[in-house]
Amino acid sequence: MSKIAIIYSTTDGQTKKITEILRTDLSNCHVVELFPVSSACDLNLTNFDKVVLGASIRYGKHKSEVFKFLKKQRNMLEEKETYFFSVNVVARKPEKNRPTTNPYVKKFLEKTSWKPNYTEVFAGKVNYPEYNFLDRNIIRLIMHITNGPTDITRSHEFTDWKRVKKFGALISGED
């Protein structure tokens, strides 16, 4: 039985939803604790066997708090079994839904030079009804340009939950 820390950075809640699914699945055989990245910079990671970091993209970037966490916890992370996943809507496209083909994952790993043991990318969610006027219209324009959904009256979820479950099995050691 491993002790696992799942740390997340979310913009609209989809990354947190993914981490909650992972926690539920992993809790059957492991001790799992969930932390927002904003409170994880000073977290004592020595108490954990594995560390999972999930981070969302908004307007092409991961939040600065993710980089601060990595900078502060870098040495400890290098001593642990680590997992990273990014959540972004670009991953809805088959040619960009793998860590090796997703531009945001590639850029993130290059920028941080962090080498997690395992990396994954999940397509996120466009939740037009929840966005403010400016975000709704900017995201709608981006979706129009990239041939995505532009119906602002509803949400468009792209997350492949089977892949999330498979990633959980990998973290658990079942895969």
Side-chain angles (χ1 to χ4, degrees):
M1 178 181 286
S2 296
K3 190 164 182 190
I4 303 170
I6 301 179
I7 299 160
Y8 67 90
S9 172
T10 193
T11 303
D12 297 314
Q14 192 70 1
T15 304
K16 184 177 182 188
K17 184 176 176 181
I18 291 168
T19 62
E20 288 169 344
I21 295 293
L22 290 171
R23 176 180 58 184
T24 299
D25 290 353
L26 292 168
S27 292
N28 292 329
C29 301
H30 305 281
V31 175
V32 182
E33 293 186 49
L34 203 58
F35 304 94
V37 74
S38 58
S39 67
C41 280
D42 296 320
L43 186 63
N44 184 357
L45 294 177
T46 58
N47 299 325
F48 298 94
D49 303 302
K50 300 178 183 185
V51 178
V52 180
L53 175 62
S56 64
I57 290 286
R58 174 58 68 88
Y59 300 131
K61 297 181 180 182
H62 290 92
K63 289 184 177 180
S64 61
E65 62 189 9
V66 176
F67 296 99
K68 287 178 191 170
F69 166 77
L70 282 174
K71 185 175 182 181
K72 181 109 188 238
Q73 295 280 19
R74 183 62 175 258
N75 292 336
M76 187 57 63
L77 289 171
E78 290 177 359
E79 297 176 14
K80 302 289 178 186
E81 187 172 319
T82 56
Y83 301 79
F84 171 70
F85 69 91
S86 180
V87 179
N88 58 77
V89 178
V90 168
R92 76 186 189 283
K93 297 182 173 193
E95 70 275 12
K96 295 182 181 180
N97 73 357
R98 297 289 177 220
T100 55
T101 62
N102 186 274
Y104 300 123
V105 171
K106 290 167 53 175
K107 185 193 298 185
F108 177 81
L109 294 174
E110 286 172 18
K111 184 176 181 177
T112 63
S113 68
W114 179 42
K115 296 187 182 346
N117 297 94
Y118 302 95
T119 305
E120 186 56 274
V121 61
F122 302 116
K125 178 180 182 178
V126 174
N127 195 1
Y128 289 116
E130 297 294 317
Y131 299 150
N132 65 40
F133 178 82
L134 185 60
D135 284 337
R136 182 172 37 255
N137 286 292
I138 291 172
I139 292 170
R140 185 178 192 200
L141 175 62
I142 293 167
M143 288 293 103
H144 175 74
I145 292 168
T146 61
N147 296 315
T150 57
D151 178 359
I152 61 170
T153 64
R154 63 184 211 84
S155 288
H156 306 272
E157 186 171 345
F158 303 102
T159 307
D160 181 341
W161 294 105
K162 288 180 184 174
R163 279 186 60 190
V164 172
K165 297 273 189 185
K166 188 174 180 180
F167 189 61
L170 177 72
I171 296 165
S172 184
E174 300 169 17
D175 193 42

